Amino acid sequence: MRRIVLGLFIAVGLFHAWGYFAPETWYRTFPGIGRGWLERLGPYNEHLMKDYVSMFMAMTVLTVAAWRYVDSDRFVQTAGLSWLTFNVFHLIYHVQHLDMYSTGEKITMVSVLSLLTLASAVLLAPAPRAKATADDEGQVFQAQ
């Protein structure tokens, strides 16, 4: 399960990476389906767009490392807490600024951001551990 959730966040990060190399296009067209969600929030600012996308690229590096060391609770939980922090505040912002979107866009935005927030929280759970069980010949380890 951890690899699936981490893979989701790697995909999210990579999805945003194109915005660094074409920030104005990214700003005008995000989420890429001709909706232009970002430009409804205010004027274009290249610095702000590149900083925002750079954060996604940095989070992707952290998430790839967590995916590589998926059995490390500390590493995966750190990545999860980082995504959770971002996603909670991102969701709060968007819930407070929905008036310029259609009903369908509101539902989509809040649903996607809520699911990403919940997925972040999944990464905080420790990995399942092996537990010892006795048999006739001594100790045998079985996965939970």
Side-chain angles (χ1 to χ4, degrees):
M1 174 60 98
R2 283 176 147 191
R3 283 198 191 273
I4 293 168
V5 174
L6 289 166
L8 166 70
F9 285 114
I10 291 168
V12 167
L14 292 174
F15 176 72
H16 286 79
W18 66 279
Y20 190 85
F21 303 100
E24 193 168 350
T25 301
W26 182 77
Y27 171 78
R28 282 193 327 268
T29 62
F30 186 84
I33 53 175
R35 303 308 301 185
W37 286 357
L38 297 177
E39 61 186 353
R40 296 184 219 173
L41 295 172
Y44 172 74
N45 179 312
E46 181 179 5
H47 177 221
L48 182 60
M49 290 301 102
K50 285 195 169 192
D51 281 359
Y52 179 69
V53 172
S54 295
M55 181 276 310
F56 271 103
M57 292 170 21
M59 291 292 289
T60 302
V61 170
L62 172 65
T63 308
V64 166
W67 190 84
R68 166 64 177 90
Y69 298 104
V70 73
D71 293 327
S72 168
D73 282 348
R74 184 171 293 168
F75 212 131
V76 172
Q77 289 171 337
T78 299
L81 186 57
S82 298
W83 278 110
L84 182 61
T85 301
F86 170 75
N87 284 319
V88 163
F89 289 108
H90 193 201
L91 175 61
I92 289 169
Y93 175 83
H94 281 289
V95 165
Q96 294 172 342
H97 298 90
L98 291 171
D99 54 315
M100 72 278 300
Y101 298 108
S102 71
T103 301
E105 289 172 326
K106 290 175 186 177
I107 292 168
T108 300
M109 190 177 297
V110 171
S111 296
V112 168
L113 295 177
S114 296
L115 288 172
L116 289 172
T117 301
L118 291 173
S120 304
V122 167
L123 295 174
L124 300 180
R129 299 286 178 229
K131 70 176 182 180
T133 58
D135 70 2
D136 294 346
E137 299 178 23
Q139 295 289 327
V140 176
F141 292 93
Q142 298 175 343
Q144 286 181 327

